[in-house]
Amino acid sequence: IAPRYELFFPIQAHHLDALAKDILAQITPPPGETEQKRKLLAQLEQLCKELISSARLIPFGSLVTGFATASSDIDCIFSPIQVSNNRYVETPHVIEGPTDAEKKRLGDNPDYPLLLAQLLEKNGFQVLLLSKTRVPIIKLKRAASDSHPELNCDIGFKNSLAVHNTALLKTYSECDERVKPLVLFIKWWAKRRCINTPYLGTLCSYGYVLMILHYLINVVQPPVLPNLQDIPPPATTHARELSFSEDGGDTDYFIWFAKNLSELPRSKNTSSLGELIRGFFDYYSFKFAWGNAVISIRSKGGLKTKQEKEWTTANIKTAGGEGETENTFQVKNRYLVAIEDPFETTHNVGRTCTGKGLNTIRSEFRRAMDKIKTVSMAQEFSIGSGIY
Ligand code: GTP
Ligand code: MG
């Protein structure tokens, strides 16, 4: 049943479309910022090589997906071994490890996080080493200067799976040109409404991206995106593209997804950005069953139930993931907001959301919908409207 405001929708969508484009023009990182981030990464990688010559810093997150806004940090993983790149993903593929001399100098089990933190500090970076997180993280900052803005970078020491889900997100973004502006707009909205702070009980950017993908794959009709994980791999696919297991880990993750976009049919959906924004807010305001549903973009239909996944009772198992680095080692796995990671299916990307966080998120969705329905939308969705 069409909601009652559907009647006014064409005008609203048109208006929303224009406003969204205006906002996007203002929040897109200034030209050169991505290059500056890449340059800093290359400079940091050079320093890592002083520690061990085969070291690499492998970027993931918004720098790679293109979903970065001006304030986005750089996410990367330190790998003491040389890896090869392929066209889609910087797939970890061992080529080279420490030399014999380096093995002698560093010993059997080098404390790379500590050694690297010390080296970076010596080279003038502001460094914070967080060792109580599931995997250690170095947070470093380079102060702004005349030639560049302040840059923040997180260096992780494990979680290569992030490289694969980053590649999945990037490929989805390449499938349709509406994905990136929609993501940037929703990220901007979520940050502005303070519902994008995982360590304070709300959802990380990655969670919002998965919510958007579910909407574009499974909800909007005709779909804007195909389900890339539901397309069978060609018989010739290399084993490295099918499954992956973390160094020393005993779990094999099925990481295949379709990458050959020229073989996929174009979407028949002709909605404007404004229509998609409205549809997204509408779905999560009135249709999505928050209490019962799990978003699972890898599955047909895009949804599972919490019962089916046994995601019903909070537990304290392990901390994990980027975006909650302020937390200590043990983190509660909550299932109030349930968003299954597309590869690590036991991982709830929404686990950081508390009851209060969920209520705030839901009321923000409804608030946005209210604004869209009324003329005050113009005020709400324009930069500098002073709503804080
Ligand atoms: P901004 O930094 O806010 O611009 O967004 P981002 O696109 O970099 O996303 P975010 O920092 O939330 O996540 C970075 C990457 O971490 C994602 O693209 C995933 O590859 C990976 N990741 C895997 N699991 C998690 C998780 O549970 N939480 C978060 N935050 N990231 C995860
Ligand atoms: Mg990030």
Side-chain angles (χ1 to χ4, degrees), residues 58-100:
I58 306 163
F60 66 98
S62 58
L63 178 64
V64 181
T65 55
F67 297 153
T69 51
S71 58
S72 289
D73 58 0
I74 305 168
D75 299 297
C76 61
I77 301 163
F78 169 88
S79 167
I81 47 173
Q82 191 76 16
V83 292
S84 75
N85 298 342
N86 73 20
R87 168 172 153 2
Y88 313 108
V89 46
E90 290 161 283
T91 309
H93 172 213
V94 181
I95 297 175
E96 206 186 299
T99 60
D100 287 343

Side-chain angles (χ1 to χ4, degrees), residues 294-359:
V294 179
I295 294 174
S296 165
I297 64 160
R298 67 178 291 128
S299 309
K300 267 196 179 50
L303 290 173
K304 288 186 170 172
T305 62
K306 292 185 184 178
Q307 282 74 15
E308 202 181 324
K309 286 197 63 83
E310 297 182 11
W311 278 10
T312 46
T313 327
N315 54 46
I316 300 181
K317 268 190 198 150
T318 45
E322 299 62 36
E324 57 174 21
T325 46
E326 267 50 17
N327 277 347
T328 48
F329 187 64
Q330 286 204 313
V331 148
K332 209 167 181 177
N333 275 327
R334 299 179 198 85
Y335 300 111
L336 296 167
V337 174
I339 307 175
E340 179 193 85
D341 186 88
F343 298 125
E344 191 181 359
T345 53
T346 54
H347 177 61
N348 178 20
V349 177
R351 76 201 169 287
T352 56
C353 294
T354 57
K356 187 161 171 266
L358 168 63
N359 285 339

Side-chain angles (χ1 to χ4, degrees), residues 18-31 181 184-185 273 383:
L19 280 165
K21 286 180 179 150
D22 191 33
I23 286 161
L24 288 167
Q26 299 178 56
I27 58 168
T28 306
L184 291 179
F185 181 83
L273 177 60
I383 278 185

Side-chain angles (χ1 to χ4, degrees), residues 26-323:
Q26 299 178 56
I27 58 168
T28 306
E33 194 177 292
T34 307
E35 277 87 283
Q36 279 167 347
K37 286 180 178 169
R38 289 266 174 198
K39 253 196 203 154
L40 175 65
L41 204 64
Q43 194 189 342
L44 293 172
E45 192 174 75
Q46 270 325 105
L47 284 172
C48 293
K49 284 180 188 299
E50 284 184 21
L51 204 60
I52 164 167
S53 56
S54 59
R56 283 278 324 266
L57 275 187
I58 306 163
F60 66 98
S62 58
L63 178 64
V64 181
T65 55
F67 297 153
T69 51
S71 58
S72 289
D73 58 0
I74 305 168
D75 299 297
C76 61
I77 301 163
F78 169 88
S79 167
I81 47 173
Q82 191 76 16
V83 292
S84 75
N85 298 342
N86 73 20
R87 168 172 153 2
Y88 313 108
V89 46
E90 290 161 283
T91 309
H93 172 213
V94 181
I95 297 175
E96 206 186 299
T99 60
D100 287 343
E102 282 166 348
K103 275 188 199 150
K104 225 170 167 182
R105 172 165 58 83
L106 295 166
D108 275 345
N109 217 348
D111 186 347
Y112 286 120
L114 184 64
L115 293 170
L116 186 59
Q118 287 166 343
L119 183 65
L120 292 166
E121 207 152 37
K122 222 170 68 192
N123 280 272
F125 289 97
Q126 286 176 46
V127 181
L128 179 66
L129 171 61
L130 302 172
S131 42
K132 283 190 174 163
T133 43
R134 177 175 63 163
V135 287
I137 292 174
I138 292 178
K139 285 182 134 343
L140 71 88
K141 199 183 274 253
R142 186 169 73 173
S145 77
D146 288 347
S147 60
H148 59 78
E150 179 185 280
L151 291 175
N152 291 289
C153 176
D154 282 4
I155 305 177
F157 291 83
K158 220 176 158 194
N159 195 9
S160 316
L161 211 51
V163 174
H164 295 282
N165 53 48
T166 293
L168 177 69
L169 266 42
K170 180 165 193 259
T171 310
Y172 271 123
S173 166
E174 287 166 352
C175 281
D176 192 286
E177 72 239 358
R178 290 165 290 186
V179 177
K180 185 173 163 180
L182 184 58
V183 167
L184 291 179
F185 181 83
I186 300 300
K187 268 175 78 171
W188 169 80
W189 163 77
K191 283 203 165 89
R192 185 177 167 102
R193 300 305 303 160
C194 304
I195 50 167
N196 179 207
T197 322
Y199 63 89
L200 294 180
T202 57
L203 187 62
C204 61
S205 300
Y206 181 47
Y208 285 103
V209 175
L210 294 174
M211 286 172 71
I212 296 168
L213 292 179
H214 163 54
Y215 170 70
L216 297 176
I217 299 168
N218 311 111
V219 180
V220 69
Q221 290 304 325
V224 169
L225 295 172
N227 182 342
L228 295 177
Q229 291 178 279
D230 195 30
I231 297 168
T236 51
T237 310
H238 194 284
R240 201 167 4 111
E241 270 197 87
L242 292 178
S243 74
F244 166 81
S245 72
E246 191 86 57
D247 253 2
D250 48 15
T251 316
D252 239 358
Y253 298 104
F254 187 68
I255 52 158
W256 159 259
F257 60 91
K259 301 165 186 87
N260 204 342
L261 301 186
S262 59
E263 283 174 9
L264 300 175
R266 297 285 305 166
S267 165
K268 292 196 174 64
N269 185 304
T270 56
S271 304
S272 66
L273 177 60
E275 284 168 317
L276 294 176
I277 291 174
R278 193 211 64 111
F280 173 78
F281 282 129
D282 180 42
Y283 177 64
Y284 288 105
S285 294
F286 304 118
K287 298 180 178 122
F288 180 70
W290 292 86
N292 199 18
V294 179
I295 294 174
S296 165
I297 64 160
R298 67 178 291 128
S299 309
K300 267 196 179 50
L303 290 173
K304 288 186 170 172
T305 62
K306 292 185 184 178
Q307 282 74 15
E308 202 181 324
K309 286 197 63 83
E310 297 182 11
W311 278 10
T312 46
T313 327
N315 54 46
I316 300 181
K317 268 190 198 150
T318 45
E322 299 62 36

Side-chain angles (χ1 to χ4, degrees), residues 364-377:
E364 283 301 334
F365 270 102
R366 287 192 298 261
R367 179 176 190 270
M369 219 41 224
D370 274 350
K371 299 288 173 185
I372 290 171
K373 281 187 270 176
T374 62
V375 190
S376 65
M377 166 184 77

